[in-house]
């Protein structure tokens, strides 16, 4: 989700990722009702900075679909559950005190896993950007980031521009404006933090088994595609110095929810929809 197969349950803004040496995180989220479909996500993530400039992370996401009144697709159980396994290598180079160049490579498996793996199950995700940091009033930091990344936020993999401005408005208030994410965060005290975020999300996963779709015929190597945008409100509570809980509520708007053929052409449309979603998570920082 990272951002291939992006989900509402992974909300770690840029400054958080940079401040943590090693984290483990687990989240469970559910979309209450989206076009006669309930969606649930279970996510595990591990991240560790192994050198000054190199961070390695891994992520596993299991997404379950509970369809209602969907008799056109057979066998329906072959699109009820999808898995993503992603490895990420992130390397950054500091140029003086103001500029940073960063690149990330994220080989990903995204599939229903109902048969043996093939090249259709793999996605090659990458990103590259440059950022500039400077101090504003009261020596508070500001950042501008410009770059490009290959992701599935709008359905099939494509190059997407990245533009972002981040600043500390006060010691407790942090603001990020840009594309594809914007967020505002308020740190009440050492234990309590609130985060409001708007972002785009997408899914592009291989349907590993052939499907029979009424009035359309058989489809081999199809892709389940979902993309849209969401707004979410997170409450993070620090139980102890290294342990944090995350509660989230939000609204998901789905622009496309369909099965595509292996040429990324629409084959079967589930329709547009929207849903309220909830998630709970826990994060442990080994630092």
């Amino acid at each position: 989700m990272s951002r291939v197969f992006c989900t509402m349950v992974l909300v770690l803004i840029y400054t958080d990722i940079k401040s943590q040496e090693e984290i483990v995180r687990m989240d469970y989220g559910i979309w209450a009702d989206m076009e006669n479909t309930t969606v649930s996500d279970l996510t595990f993530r591990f991240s560790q900075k192994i050198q000054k400039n190199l961070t390695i992370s891994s992520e596993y996401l299991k997404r379950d679909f509970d369809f209602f009144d969907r008799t056109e697709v057979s066998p329906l159980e072959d699109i009820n559950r999808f898995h993503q396994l992603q490895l990420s290598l992130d390397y950054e180079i500091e140029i003086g005190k103001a500029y940073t160049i960063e690149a990330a490579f994220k080989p990903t498996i995204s599939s229903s896993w109902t048969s043996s793996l093939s090249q259709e199950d793999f996605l090659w995700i990458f990103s590259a950007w440059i950022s500039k940091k400077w101090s504003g009033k009261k020596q508070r930091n500001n950042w501008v980031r410009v770059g490009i990344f290959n992701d599935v936020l709008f359905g099939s993999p494509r190059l997407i521009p990245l533009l972002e401005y981040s600043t500390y408005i006060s010691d407790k208030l942090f603001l990020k404006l840009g594309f594809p994410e914007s967020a505002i965060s308020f740190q009440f005290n050492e234990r309590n933090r609130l985060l409001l975020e708007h972002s785009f999300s997408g899914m592009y996963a291989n349907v590993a088994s052939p499907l029979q779709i009424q009035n359309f015929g058989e489809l081999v190597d199809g892709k389940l595609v979902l993309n849209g945008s969401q707004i979410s409100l997170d409450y993070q509570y620090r139980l102890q110095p290294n342990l944090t809980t995350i509660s989230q509520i939000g609204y998901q708007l789905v622009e496309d929810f369909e099965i595509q053929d292996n040429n990324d052409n629409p084959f079967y449309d589930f329709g547009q929809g929207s849903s309220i979603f909830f998630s709970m998570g826990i994060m442990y920082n080994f630092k």
Side-chain angles (χ1 to χ4, degrees):
M1 328 121 249
S2 286
R3 297 310 182 91
V4 61
F5 206 39
C6 292
T7 70
M8 75 296 296
V9 296
L10 288 176
V11 184
L12 289 175
I13 63 176
Y14 180 72
T15 52
D16 289 334
I17 295 174
K18 294 301 177 184
S19 65
Q20 294 164 340
E21 298 293 334
E22 184 177 1
I23 64 169
V24 173
R25 179 168 175 169
M26 180 181 72
D27 296 271
Y28 177 77
I30 186 167
W31 305 12
D33 181 23
M34 190 272 298
E35 191 61 27
N36 294 323
T37 306
T38 300
V39 185
S40 60
D41 293 331
L42 180 64
T43 310
F44 297 92
R45 178 182 172 91
F46 172 77
S47 178
Q48 181 178 20
K49 180 170 285 190
I50 57 177
Q51 295 180 4
K52 179 182 178 181
N53 298 329
L54 181 63
T55 300
I56 185 170
S57 61
S58 60
E59 175 187 310
Y60 169 71
L61 170 64
K62 178 173 72 72
R63 172 167 284 181
D64 290 313
F65 292 88
D66 191 2
F67 295 100
F68 301 97
D69 300 324
R70 297 289 187 183
T71 60
E72 306 94 328
V73 182
S74 177
L76 194 61
E77 57 267 24
D78 284 352
I79 57 171
N80 276 352
R81 175 170 294 176
F82 289 84
H83 306 264
Q84 175 194 280
L85 182 62
Q86 182 180 88
L87 175 68
S88 178
L89 298 173
D90 190 298
Y91 188 77
E92 64 178 49
I93 301 174
E94 294 183 358
I95 304 176
K97 295 182 179 181
Y99 292 91
T100 301
I101 297 176
E102 190 165 353
F105 177 56
K106 302 180 180 183
T108 303
I109 298 172
S110 185
S111 172
S112 62
W113 286 4
T114 50
S115 65
S116 58
L117 290 178
S118 71
Q119 64 178 6
E120 298 293 333
D121 297 310
F122 287 85
L123 297 171
W124 306 105
I125 307 302
F126 61 87
S127 60
W129 61 83
I130 184 170
S131 64
K132 175 178 170 50
K133 180 177 72 173
W134 72 95
S135 295
K137 294 181 179 180
K138 298 184 179 180
Q139 299 301 307
R140 296 190 182 107
N141 286 333
N142 303 269
W143 295 266
V144 168
R145 289 203 298 165
V146 178
I148 195 168
F149 61 110
N150 184 58
D151 211 324
V152 297
L153 295 187
F154 303 103
S156 58
R158 68 188 69 186
L159 288 175
I160 301 170
L162 169 68
L163 179 62
E164 180 181 292
Y165 168 71
S166 304
T167 182
Y168 278 97
I169 299 174
S170 68
D171 294 338
K172 295 183 177 182
L173 187 61
F174 176 82
L175 176 67
K176 177 172 70 172
L177 297 174
F179 177 85
E181 290 180 348
S182 295
I184 185 167
S185 171
F186 187 78
Q187 188 81 39
F188 292 93
N189 49 46
E190 290 185 357
R191 288 183 177 270
N192 298 276
R193 179 180 177 220
L194 203 61
L195 171 68
L196 179 66
E197 182 182 49
H198 175 268
S199 62
F200 294 91
S201 61
M203 170 183 172
Y204 183 83
N206 186 46
V207 182
S209 300
L211 293 177
Q212 291 287 341
I213 302 179
Q214 185 176 335
N215 299 326
F216 291 91
E218 185 179 71
L219 178 64
V220 179
D221 290 329
K223 302 294 185 293
L224 187 67
V225 173
L226 188 155
N227 73 83
S229 61
Q230 62 193 34
I231 184 168
S232 62
L233 181 65
D234 281 42
Y235 171 66
Q236 301 180 9
Y237 178 70
R238 195 175 181 185
L239 291 172
Q240 53 172 271
N242 294 332
L243 188 64
T244 302
T245 62
I246 305 103
S247 304
Q248 185 183 66
I249 184 172
Y251 182 78
Q252 174 81 41
L253 178 64
V254 175
E255 301 268 342
D256 297 299
F257 184 27
E258 62 189 18
I259 297 174
Q260 297 181 354
D261 62 23
N262 56 5
N263 293 316
D264 296 332
N265 298 312
F267 194 85
Y268 177 80
D269 190 359
F270 289 99
Q272 296 179 335
S274 60
S275 175
I276 295 174
F277 62 82
F278 313 88
S279 76
M280 297 290 292
I282 190 165
M283 179 172 64
Y284 188 81
N285 183 8
F286 289 93
K287 182 178 179 181

